[in-house]
Amino acid sequence: MNKVLSFHQGRLPLLISMPHAGLQLTPAVREGLVDQARSLPDTDWHIPQLYDFARELGASVVAAEYSRFVIDLNRPDDDKPLYVGATTGLYPATLFEGQPLFKDGQVPSAEERATYLEQIWRPYHDTISQELARLREQFGYALLWDAHSIRSLIPHLFDGKLPDFNLGTFNGASCDPELAQLLAGVCAEAPAYSHVLNGRFKGGHITRHYGNPANHIHAVQLELAQSTYMEESEPFAYREDLAQPTQAVLRRLLESVLAWGVQRYGK
């Protein structure tokens, strides 16, 4: 495997995870993809660029290098479904629109996928686990922000147009309810954008698995509609004119997370 993730260690008790930003493919996946999947349409496009201010804030950042078409880092290693209805698994078999992801007879083998689990999935999750443990040891608590984006219209997955900012806390289980309400309030103060808390996207495996308020680890997922910062059709271009005001809201959200931690824990 080539480099499977990038990691920057920050100075404050916040870790930002970007599990679906990767663009690399293994040979088996690259050769097997159907034509309409070759542009990697289901990528969380440009998320590292959109959050390029995070290091300046003092956050730690971990980002995937391999595409979710190889293995989905936001699914459990036992591949149990996270959502009722249409969804994708640990090893995606379909595009978000429901079409098959691989040509007939060209799905990666079980042996290849076992390698992806050990060499891509596990290092990413080991990094999250180790960094959260370090932050909790140093500060007494840790904050986890799982950063995602998705096309605003995908009829196969959800009805109608997705809200712009989709906050997920696994129905209140992954972070302190006070923090969740604070973040919803920040979104409400940005009237140019719509938002929802625990709507269609309540948080995937990363939010659900690592969020543990009783153990002072607070996790939030943000699923951002891609229409807020980019073109949603090929070539999936980043739009600076759209992205700048969206980044301002993102910065306020992350600053609010950090300020809440100081207020709650005293450091």
mmCIF file of all heavy atoms in Angstrom, residues 107-130:
data_model
loop_
_atom_site.group_PDB
_atom_site.id
_atom_site.type_symbol
_atom_site.label_atom_id
_atom_site.label_comp_id
_atom_site.label_asym_id
_atom_site.label_seq_id
_atom_site.Cartn_x
_atom_site.Cartn_y
_atom_site.Cartn_z
ATOM 1 N N VAL A 107 -15.297 -7.778 -8.875
ATOM 2 C CA VAL A 107 -15.269 -7.319 -7.485
ATOM 3 C C VAL A 107 -13.964 -7.794 -6.847
ATOM 4 O O VAL A 107 -13.546 -8.936 -7.073
ATOM 5 C CB VAL A 107 -16.479 -7.889 -6.717
ATOM 6 C CG1 VAL A 107 -16.394 -7.535 -5.244
ATOM 7 C CG2 VAL A 107 -17.773 -7.378 -7.321
ATOM 8 N N PRO A 108 -13.276 -6.943 -6.078
ATOM 9 C CA PRO A 108 -12.046 -7.401 -5.406
ATOM 10 C C PRO A 108 -12.299 -8.663 -4.586
ATOM 11 O O PRO A 108 -13.368 -8.840 -4.001
ATOM 12 C CB PRO A 108 -11.678 -6.214 -4.518
ATOM 13 C CG PRO A 108 -12.255 -5.028 -5.225
ATOM 14 C CD PRO A 108 -13.542 -5.515 -5.822
ATOM 15 N N SER A 109 -11.297 -9.513 -4.508
ATOM 16 C CA SER A 109 -11.445 -10.790 -3.814
ATOM 17 C C SER A 109 -11.508 -10.588 -2.304
ATOM 18 O O SER A 109 -11.145 -9.535 -1.770
ATOM 19 C CB SER A 109 -10.256 -11.699 -4.144
ATOM 20 O OG SER A 109 -9.064 -11.168 -3.569
ATOM 21 N N ALA A 110 -11.960 -11.626 -1.618
ATOM 22 C CA ALA A 110 -12.011 -11.583 -0.156
ATOM 23 C C ALA A 110 -10.622 -11.374 0.426
ATOM 24 O O ALA A 110 -10.458 -10.672 1.430
ATOM 25 C CB ALA A 110 -12.630 -12.880 0.378
ATOM 26 N N GLU A 111 -9.612 -11.966 -0.210
ATOM 27 C CA GLU A 111 -8.241 -11.795 0.272
ATOM 28 C C GLU A 111 -7.766 -10.359 0.113
ATOM 29 O O GLU A 111 -7.125 -9.795 1.011
ATOM 30 C CB GLU A 111 -7.302 -12.750 -0.483
ATOM 31 C CG GLU A 111 -7.507 -14.225 -0.190
ATOM 32 C CD GLU A 111 -8.729 -14.811 -0.898
ATOM 33 O OE1 GLU A 111 -9.266 -14.165 -1.831
ATOM 34 O OE2 GLU A 111 -9.154 -15.918 -0.513
ATOM 35 N N GLU A 112 -8.091 -9.761 -1.031
ATOM 36 C CA GLU A 112 -7.718 -8.360 -1.240
ATOM 37 C C GLU A 112 -8.403 -7.453 -0.230
ATOM 38 O O GLU A 112 -7.783 -6.554 0.349
ATOM 39 C CB GLU A 112 -8.087 -7.939 -2.672
ATOM 40 C CG GLU A 112 -7.175 -8.543 -3.728
ATOM 41 C CD GLU A 112 -7.739 -8.433 -5.128
ATOM 42 O OE1 GLU A 112 -8.981 -8.462 -5.277
ATOM 43 O OE2 GLU A 112 -6.942 -8.314 -6.072
ATOM 44 N N ARG A 113 -9.673 -7.720 0.007
ATOM 45 C CA ARG A 113 -10.419 -6.881 0.950
ATOM 46 C C ARG A 113 -9.928 -7.064 2.380
ATOM 47 O O ARG A 113 -9.931 -6.102 3.167
ATOM 48 C CB ARG A 113 -11.904 -7.171 0.821
ATOM 49 C CG ARG A 113 -12.474 -6.549 -0.456
ATOM 50 C CD ARG A 113 -13.929 -6.808 -0.654
ATOM 51 N NE ARG A 113 -14.480 -5.852 -1.622
ATOM 52 C CZ ARG A 113 -15.723 -5.882 -2.081
ATOM 53 N NH1 ARG A 113 -16.552 -6.830 -1.657
ATOM 54 N NH2 ARG A 113 -16.142 -4.975 -2.934
ATOM 55 N N ALA A 114 -9.483 -8.244 2.725
ATOM 56 C CA ALA A 114 -8.896 -8.441 4.048
ATOM 57 C C ALA A 114 -7.632 -7.589 4.200
ATOM 58 O O ALA A 114 -7.360 -7.052 5.285
ATOM 59 C CB ALA A 114 -8.576 -9.916 4.270
ATOM 60 N N THR A 115 -6.893 -7.434 3.118
ATOM 61 C CA THR A 115 -5.717 -6.569 3.134
ATOM 62 C C THR A 115 -6.112 -5.115 3.326
ATOM 63 O O THR A 115 -5.473 -4.374 4.072
ATOM 64 C CB THR A 115 -4.917 -6.729 1.826
ATOM 65 O OG1 THR A 115 -4.496 -8.093 1.695
ATOM 66 C CG2 THR A 115 -3.687 -5.828 1.817
ATOM 67 N N TYR A 116 -7.193 -4.690 2.662
ATOM 68 C CA TYR A 116 -7.660 -3.312 2.820
ATOM 69 C C TYR A 116 -8.045 -3.037 4.269
ATOM 70 O O TYR A 116 -7.770 -1.965 4.809
ATOM 71 C CB TYR A 116 -8.870 -3.030 1.925
ATOM 72 C CG TYR A 116 -8.688 -3.310 0.458
ATOM 73 C CD1 TYR A 116 -9.794 -3.482 -0.373
ATOM 74 C CD2 TYR A 116 -7.426 -3.423 -0.112
ATOM 75 C CE1 TYR A 116 -9.657 -3.744 -1.726
ATOM 76 C CE2 TYR A 116 -7.269 -3.689 -1.467
ATOM 77 C CZ TYR A 116 -8.394 -3.855 -2.262
ATOM 78 O OH TYR A 116 -8.254 -4.113 -3.600
ATOM 79 N N LEU A 117 -8.680 -4.032 4.894
ATOM 80 C CA LEU A 117 -9.100 -3.870 6.288
ATOM 81 C C LEU A 117 -7.887 -3.684 7.197
ATOM 82 O O LEU A 117 -7.868 -2.791 8.052
ATOM 83 C CB LEU A 117 -9.922 -5.086 6.732
ATOM 84 C CG LEU A 117 -10.485 -5.035 8.159
ATOM 85 C CD1 LEU A 117 -11.530 -3.938 8.301
ATOM 86 C CD2 LEU A 117 -11.078 -6.383 8.544
ATOM 87 N N GLU A 118 -6.876 -4.506 6.994
ATOM 88 C CA GLU A 118 -5.708 -4.477 7.877
ATOM 89 C C GLU A 118 -4.778 -3.303 7.582
ATOM 90 O O GLU A 118 -4.187 -2.729 8.505
ATOM 91 C CB GLU A 118 -4.929 -5.792 7.769
ATOM 92 C CG GLU A 118 -5.663 -6.984 8.338
ATOM 93 C CD GLU A 118 -6.042 -6.790 9.797
ATOM 94 O OE1 GLU A 118 -5.199 -6.275 10.568
ATOM 95 O OE2 GLU A 118 -7.172 -7.137 10.171
ATOM 96 N N GLN A 119 -4.656 -2.922 6.318
ATOM 97 C CA GLN A 119 -3.644 -1.937 5.944
ATOM 98 C C GLN A 119 -4.195 -0.538 5.699
ATOM 99 O O GLN A 119 -3.417 0.416 5.585
ATOM 100 C CB GLN A 119 -2.881 -2.420 4.707
ATOM 101 C CG GLN A 119 -2.109 -3.699 4.959
ATOM 102 C CD GLN A 119 -1.196 -4.071 3.806
ATOM 103 O OE1 GLN A 119 -0.917 -3.273 2.917
ATOM 104 N NE2 GLN A 119 -0.730 -5.309 3.807
ATOM 105 N N ILE A 120 -5.512 -0.379 5.605
ATOM 106 C CA ILE A 120 -6.102 0.949 5.399
ATOM 107 C C ILE A 120 -7.046 1.301 6.548
ATOM 108 O O ILE A 120 -6.885 2.335 7.202
ATOM 109 C CB ILE A 120 -6.854 1.024 4.047
ATOM 110 C CG1 ILE A 120 -5.902 0.737 2.887
ATOM 111 C CG2 ILE A 120 -7.493 2.397 3.875
ATOM 112 C CD1 ILE A 120 -6.584 0.654 1.535
ATOM 113 N N TRP A 121 -8.025 0.430 6.814
ATOM 114 C CA TRP A 121 -9.030 0.710 7.852
ATOM 115 C C TRP A 121 -8.395 0.768 9.233
ATOM 116 O O TRP A 121 -8.605 1.732 9.974
ATOM 117 C CB TRP A 121 -10.124 -0.351 7.791
ATOM 118 C CG TRP A 121 -11.365 -0.080 8.600
ATOM 119 C CD1 TRP A 121 -12.542 0.473 8.167
ATOM 120 C CD2 TRP A 121 -11.565 -0.370 9.997
ATOM 121 N NE1 TRP A 121 -13.448 0.555 9.192
ATOM 122 C CE2 TRP A 121 -12.889 0.049 10.328
ATOM 123 C CE3 TRP A 121 -10.763 -0.921 11.001
ATOM 124 C CZ2 TRP A 121 -13.412 -0.082 11.609
ATOM 125 C CZ3 TRP A 121 -11.289 -1.049 12.289
ATOM 126 C CH2 TRP A 121 -12.590 -0.643 12.570
ATOM 127 N N ARG A 122 -7.617 -0.254 9.586
ATOM 128 C CA ARG A 122 -7.091 -0.308 10.951
ATOM 129 C C ARG A 122 -6.115 0.832 11.256
ATOM 130 O O ARG A 122 -6.200 1.429 12.345
ATOM 131 C CB ARG A 122 -6.449 -1.663 11.238
ATOM 132 C CG ARG A 122 -7.460 -2.786 11.228
ATOM 133 C CD ARG A 122 -7.115 -3.942 12.124
ATOM 134 N NE ARG A 122 -8.070 -5.025 11.929
ATOM 135 C CZ ARG A 122 -9.307 -5.052 12.423
ATOM 136 N NH1 ARG A 122 -9.743 -4.050 13.150
ATOM 137 N NH2 ARG A 122 -10.105 -6.076 12.179
ATOM 138 N N PRO A 123 -5.188 1.190 10.370
ATOM 139 C CA PRO A 123 -4.313 2.330 10.695
ATOM 140 C C PRO A 123 -5.074 3.624 10.922
ATOM 141 O O PRO A 123 -4.695 4.421 11.792
ATOM 142 C CB PRO A 123 -3.395 2.422 9.467
ATOM 143 C CG PRO A 123 -3.366 1.040 8.913
ATOM 144 C CD PRO A 123 -4.741 0.493 9.143
ATOM 145 N N TYR A 124 -6.154 3.838 10.168
ATOM 146 C CA TYR A 124 -6.938 5.061 10.352
ATOM 147 C C TYR A 124 -7.579 5.073 11.740
ATOM 148 O O TYR A 124 -7.518 6.068 12.466
ATOM 149 C CB TYR A 124 -8.010 5.156 9.264
ATOM 150 C CG TYR A 124 -8.665 6.516 9.194
ATOM 151 C CD1 TYR A 124 -8.112 7.541 8.425
ATOM 152 C CD2 TYR A 124 -9.837 6.789 9.891
ATOM 153 C CE1 TYR A 124 -8.701 8.795 8.358
ATOM 154 C CE2 TYR A 124 -10.437 8.039 9.829
ATOM 155 C CZ TYR A 124 -9.862 9.033 9.060
ATOM 156 O OH TYR A 124 -10.456 10.272 9.016
ATOM 157 N N HIS A 125 -8.162 3.947 12.107
ATOM 158 C CA HIS A 125 -8.835 3.884 13.408
ATOM 159 C C HIS A 125 -7.843 3.832 14.560
ATOM 160 O O HIS A 125 -8.114 4.384 15.638
ATOM 161 C CB HIS A 125 -9.817 2.712 13.432
ATOM 162 C CG HIS A 125 -11.058 3.017 12.667
ATOM 163 N ND1 HIS A 125 -12.163 3.592 13.242
ATOM 164 C CD2 HIS A 125 -11.345 2.889 11.336
ATOM 165 C CE1 HIS A 125 -13.086 3.799 12.316
ATOM 166 N NE2 HIS A 125 -12.610 3.377 11.151
ATOM 167 N N ASP A 126 -6.687 3.224 14.344
ATOM 168 C CA ASP A 126 -5.651 3.271 15.378
ATOM 169 C C ASP A 126 -5.211 4.711 15.622
ATOM 170 O O ASP A 126 -4.973 5.111 16.766
ATOM 171 C CB ASP A 126 -4.443 2.433 14.949
ATOM 172 C CG ASP A 126 -4.698 0.939 15.026
ATOM 173 O OD1 ASP A 126 -5.701 0.524 15.639
ATOM 174 O OD2 ASP A 126 -3.887 0.188 14.452
ATOM 175 N N THR A 127 -5.114 5.495 14.552
ATOM 176 C CA THR A 127 -4.719 6.899 14.689
ATOM 177 C C THR A 127 -5.751 7.679 15.491
ATOM 178 O O THR A 127 -5.400 8.460 16.385
ATOM 179 C CB THR A 127 -4.519 7.543 13.304
ATOM 180 O OG1 THR A 127 -3.512 6.823 12.583
ATOM 181 C CG2 THR A 127 -4.101 9.003 13.422
ATOM 182 N N ILE A 128 -7.034 7.472 15.176
ATOM 183 C CA ILE A 128 -8.084 8.140 15.949
ATOM 184 C C ILE A 128 -8.008 7.737 17.424
ATOM 185 O O ILE A 128 -8.026 8.591 18.318
ATOM 186 C CB ILE A 128 -9.478 7.814 15.378
ATOM 187 C CG1 ILE A 128 -9.660 8.445 13.993
ATOM 188 C CG2 ILE A 128 -10.575 8.320 16.330
ATOM 189 C CD1 ILE A 128 -10.994 8.127 13.342
ATOM 190 N N SER A 129 -7.936 6.450 17.670
ATOM 191 C CA SER A 129 -7.921 5.956 19.054
ATOM 192 C C SER A 129 -6.747 6.521 19.839
ATOM 193 O O SER A 129 -6.902 6.977 20.988
ATOM 194 C CB SER A 129 -7.864 4.429 19.065
ATOM 195 O OG SER A 129 -9.012 3.866 18.488
ATOM 196 N N GLN A 130 -5.579 6.485 19.226
ATOM 197 C CA GLN A 130 -4.371 6.945 19.915
ATOM 198 C C GLN A 130 -4.405 8.448 20.168
ATOM 199 O O GLN A 130 -4.000 8.917 21.245
ATOM 200 C CB GLN A 130 -3.139 6.554 19.106
ATOM 201 C CG GLN A 130 -2.889 5.062 19.084
ATOM 202 C CD GLN A 130 -1.944 4.623 17.978
ATOM 203 O OE1 GLN A 130 -1.281 5.456 17.348
ATOM 204 N NE2 GLN A 130 -1.876 3.327 17.726
#
